[in-house]
Amino acid sequence: MYCSDLFRYNRRMTTPVRIGKTPLGGSNPIRIQSMTNTSTMDTQGCVAQCKRIIDAGADYVRLTAQGVREAENLANIRTALRADGYDAPLVADIHFNPKAADVAALSVEKVRVNPGNYVDPVKTFMHFDYTDAEYAQELEKIRNRFVPFLNICKEHCTAIRIGVNHGSLSDRILSRYGDTPDGMVESCLEFLRICISEQFTDVVISIKASNVLVMIQTVRLLVDRMNTEDMHFPLHLGVTEAGDGEDGRVKSAVGIGSLLMDGIGDTIRVSLSEDPELEIPVARQLVELLEARSKAVSIDVQPFKDFDPYSFHRRETDAAGRFGGGQVPLVIADCSHTDFDFSKAALKPDFVFVGENVTTRMDGLPQLCDVKVFHGQRETLPVFDTAERKLLETVSAPVKFLRISLDEFSSPFLQHLQTIPNLVLLLQSEQTNTVAELRAAFHFLLHEGCRMPVLLSLRSKARDREEEQLAAGLDLGSILVDGFGDGVFWSTDPANVFQSKLSDQVSVMFGVLQSSRLRMSRTEYISCPSCGRTLFDLQKVITQIKERTSHLKGLKIGIMGCIVNGPGEMADADYGYVGAGRGQVSLYKGKNCVEKAIPAEKALDKLIDLIRANGDWKEPEQL
Ligand code: SF4
């Protein structure tokens, strides 16, 4: 298994790696990092931005080195930083240019190479029939180029990261494994095996994707394969192109957070399409949330033997009204303490919980209420506590809800509950490690063959909105990505000092479902975090594109700063807007470039035209 205990936090033991004065892995703290987006030839600009990132609390700073000139200039940037007392290790980011990697290894503490393009050229999608001999020949070519680089790293005590990205796999890997988790894992292992044969061990690895499910399953699979091959390299975690604002935070918390909860991850980067220093407090808070959850005791439940953590399957349930049975997961808002009229809200929950305050709602939303005030009112369904379990059989309602937590589970009780038609469980957790408790409860239900739908019912104790976004992503998302849960009921603990707005709670629940790929409620922007290769003002362009397209629910739009890396990394998007040169943009439909190097000032209108021509456009007023 990829994880030693599914129901207890145990950090995966990895071999420490020397990275300047800040080692990584082993028992070292989980390190935080970010990446500059200034041109690497702009020494002063890079130095200033590195300082801002380090002052914000980063342990490492990465800079792109697209060519030998940029790689050479890293030495100047490093010298200037050291002169001003900044000694955080620097990392060079290399694509398509092994010579630049050789040069960078002379002056920075770590070099990241991408196995998909270290030696292999830009994907051509032309050669898909590699024979075993051709495949072996390609590997030999990689080895011949990679080993001299490793020798430079050995000589200069430079660590490396083997960083695989979904969407930048080589033709060779695609030919044999396709665009799959297996392909990404093998792409990484091919390079790792060379490192091992050369006794080079200062290696960190990463496998990233913008699709959170793909990213989680692939990293789990990689850890499983490494365990099999007795490899213990530390892992760098990140969700690529997570976007900005709430979307970026929630998506990162689901992807990175769920793996951290599995005990995986020695360094993280939260890739936001915002100023790089803003990534640091988000990453730090995510690690703090993990630490708060890591102290919980073990739970005595056996993992369900047929549970497959390497591919996504939703737990099968019988439908109870609109809940379960393969229907989209529903969102429930807590209006029991503060009511809210959702009539004009951009995002409406599917149900509201009103406690004892049943009224005729202006927004017409169906209600859940405490059973003590339930008298068969229209559009109203009763909620029971386990103390009221006897009423479950006597009260008549189309769907009934039972609040329950793992410590109330027993085999006879669950078997009895199975006999009650249209029952939905509101699964709660007051444990410190919510994820472990909820996950164990689902494994218990699987053991018992229980098919009633389950809603994840959690109360936030967050201190501010950002923490709430991260906690919801971590606690709800970690369960949803395992295929568990038919809906979410996220509310603020009434005793909490910070009380979030109901509309914000609803927004965060829809965000978690969207990030977990379970329910699309808004346009998804797969936007890169930008780096020294970025060819336009990314944040400005994202804002402009959002202003025109944010009503296109369910559509995925990639916004990538450069042509070198962008098209591969937004492989999941329906449409793409990619920097093609200074003042030039290329537009993509899926993976195909359909408008090459058009003037930037016309690009947004052209993107709308492209969406319209393909039948995906709707006027905002039509919605
Ligand atoms: S896609 Fe964005 S982050 Fe990635 S290399 Fe290009 S500009 Fe940099």
Short mmCIF file of all heavy atoms in Angstrom, two decimals, residues 95 241 528-535 560-563 565-566 569, ligand 1:
data_model
loop_
_atom_site.label_atom_id
_atom_site.label_comp_id
_atom_site.label_asym_id
_atom_site.label_seq_id
_atom_site.Cartn_x
_atom_site.Cartn_y
_atom_site.Cartn_z
N HIS A 95 13.36 23.02 -18.69
CA HIS A 95 12.58 22.24 -19.66
C HIS A 95 13.33 22.30 -20.99
O HIS A 95 13.79 23.38 -21.39
CB HIS A 95 11.18 22.83 -19.86
CG HIS A 95 10.33 22.80 -18.63
ND1 HIS A 95 9.53 21.72 -18.32
CD2 HIS A 95 10.17 23.70 -17.64
CE1 HIS A 95 8.90 21.98 -17.18
NE2 HIS A 95 9.27 23.18 -16.74
N GLU A 241 -1.47 24.64 -12.19
CA GLU A 241 -2.53 25.47 -12.75
C GLU A 241 -3.78 25.49 -11.90
O GLU A 241 -4.90 25.34 -12.39
CB GLU A 241 -2.89 25.00 -14.18
CG GLU A 241 -1.82 25.25 -15.20
CD GLU A 241 -0.68 24.23 -15.15
OE1 GLU A 241 -0.97 23.05 -15.01
OE2 GLU A 241 0.48 24.64 -15.21
N CYS A 528 -1.94 28.89 -15.24
CA CYS A 528 -0.61 28.60 -14.69
C CYS A 528 -0.23 29.67 -13.67
O CYS A 528 -0.80 30.76 -13.65
CB CYS A 528 0.41 28.50 -15.82
SG CYS A 528 1.03 30.06 -16.44
N PRO A 529 0.71 29.35 -12.80
CA PRO A 529 1.08 30.33 -11.76
C PRO A 529 1.96 31.45 -12.30
O PRO A 529 2.25 32.39 -11.58
CB PRO A 529 1.84 29.48 -10.75
CG PRO A 529 2.38 28.34 -11.53
CD PRO A 529 1.42 28.08 -12.64
N SER A 530 2.41 31.31 -13.53
CA SER A 530 3.37 32.20 -14.20
C SER A 530 4.78 31.97 -13.67
O SER A 530 4.97 31.48 -12.56
CB SER A 530 2.99 33.68 -14.12
OG SER A 530 3.33 34.23 -12.87
N CYS A 531 5.74 32.30 -14.52
CA CYS A 531 7.16 32.17 -14.14
C CYS A 531 7.95 33.09 -15.05
O CYS A 531 7.36 33.92 -15.73
CB CYS A 531 7.62 30.71 -14.28
SG CYS A 531 7.77 30.17 -15.99
N GLY A 532 9.24 32.94 -15.08
CA GLY A 532 10.07 33.82 -15.90
C GLY A 532 9.82 33.65 -17.40
O GLY A 532 10.32 34.45 -18.19
N ARG A 533 9.06 32.64 -17.79
CA ARG A 533 8.77 32.46 -19.22
C ARG A 533 7.48 33.16 -19.64
O ARG A 533 7.17 33.20 -20.83
CB ARG A 533 8.56 30.98 -19.52
CG ARG A 533 9.77 30.09 -19.36
CD ARG A 533 9.35 28.64 -19.60
NE ARG A 533 10.38 27.70 -19.23
CZ ARG A 533 11.24 27.15 -20.10
NH1 ARG A 533 11.19 27.48 -21.36
NH2 ARG A 533 12.15 26.31 -19.69
N THR A 534 6.72 33.65 -18.67
CA THR A 534 5.38 34.18 -18.97
C THR A 534 5.44 35.34 -19.95
O THR A 534 6.25 36.26 -19.78
CB THR A 534 4.69 34.62 -17.66
OG1 THR A 534 4.80 33.56 -16.73
CG2 THR A 534 3.23 34.94 -17.88
N LEU A 535 4.56 35.30 -20.95
CA LEU A 535 4.65 36.26 -22.04
C LEU A 535 3.61 37.37 -21.98
O LEU A 535 3.52 38.18 -22.89
CB LEU A 535 4.53 35.51 -23.38
CG LEU A 535 5.75 34.64 -23.71
CD1 LEU A 535 5.41 33.58 -24.75
CD2 LEU A 535 6.91 35.50 -24.16
N MET A 560 -2.47 29.98 -20.15
CA MET A 560 -1.08 29.59 -19.92
C MET A 560 -0.13 30.67 -20.42
O MET A 560 -0.30 31.20 -21.52
CB MET A 560 -0.76 28.30 -20.70
CG MET A 560 -1.59 27.13 -20.27
SD MET A 560 -1.09 26.58 -18.64
CE MET A 560 -2.65 26.04 -18.02
N GLY A 561 0.87 30.93 -19.61
CA GLY A 561 1.78 32.03 -19.90
C GLY A 561 2.73 31.81 -21.05
O GLY A 561 3.28 32.75 -21.59
N CYS A 562 2.95 30.55 -21.47
CA CYS A 562 3.90 30.33 -22.56
C CYS A 562 3.56 29.10 -23.37
O CYS A 562 2.86 28.21 -22.91
CB CYS A 562 5.33 30.25 -22.03
SG CYS A 562 5.76 28.63 -21.37
N ILE A 563 4.10 29.10 -24.57
CA ILE A 563 3.83 28.04 -25.54
C ILE A 563 4.67 26.79 -25.25
O ILE A 563 4.34 25.69 -25.62
CB ILE A 563 4.10 28.56 -26.97
CG1 ILE A 563 3.49 27.65 -28.02
CG2 ILE A 563 5.57 28.76 -27.24
CD1 ILE A 563 2.14 28.09 -28.45
N ASN A 565 5.45 25.27 -22.48
CA ASN A 565 4.95 24.33 -21.50
C ASN A 565 3.44 24.31 -21.45
O ASN A 565 2.84 23.33 -21.04
CB ASN A 565 5.47 24.76 -20.13
CG ASN A 565 6.03 23.61 -19.37
OD1 ASN A 565 6.22 22.55 -19.93
ND2 ASN A 565 6.28 23.82 -18.11
N GLY A 566 2.83 25.43 -21.83
CA GLY A 566 1.41 25.61 -21.62
C GLY A 566 0.52 24.55 -22.24
O GLY A 566 -0.27 23.92 -21.53
N GLU A 569 0.42 21.29 -20.40
CA GLU A 569 -0.03 21.35 -19.01
C GLU A 569 -1.52 21.64 -18.87
O GLU A 569 -2.10 21.44 -17.82
CB GLU A 569 0.81 22.36 -18.25
CG GLU A 569 2.27 21.95 -18.28
CD GLU A 569 3.09 22.58 -17.18
OE1 GLU A 569 2.53 23.25 -16.33
OE2 GLU A 569 4.30 22.37 -17.21
S1 SF4 B 1 2.93 27.56 -18.56
FE1 SF4 B 1 3.18 29.31 -17.18
S2 SF4 B 1 4.27 28.52 -15.37
FE2 SF4 B 1 4.44 26.95 -16.99
S3 SF4 B 1 6.41 27.42 -17.98
FE3 SF4 B 1 4.86 28.54 -19.17
S4 SF4 B 1 4.69 30.57 -18.21
FE4 SF4 B 1 5.83 29.25 -16.79
#
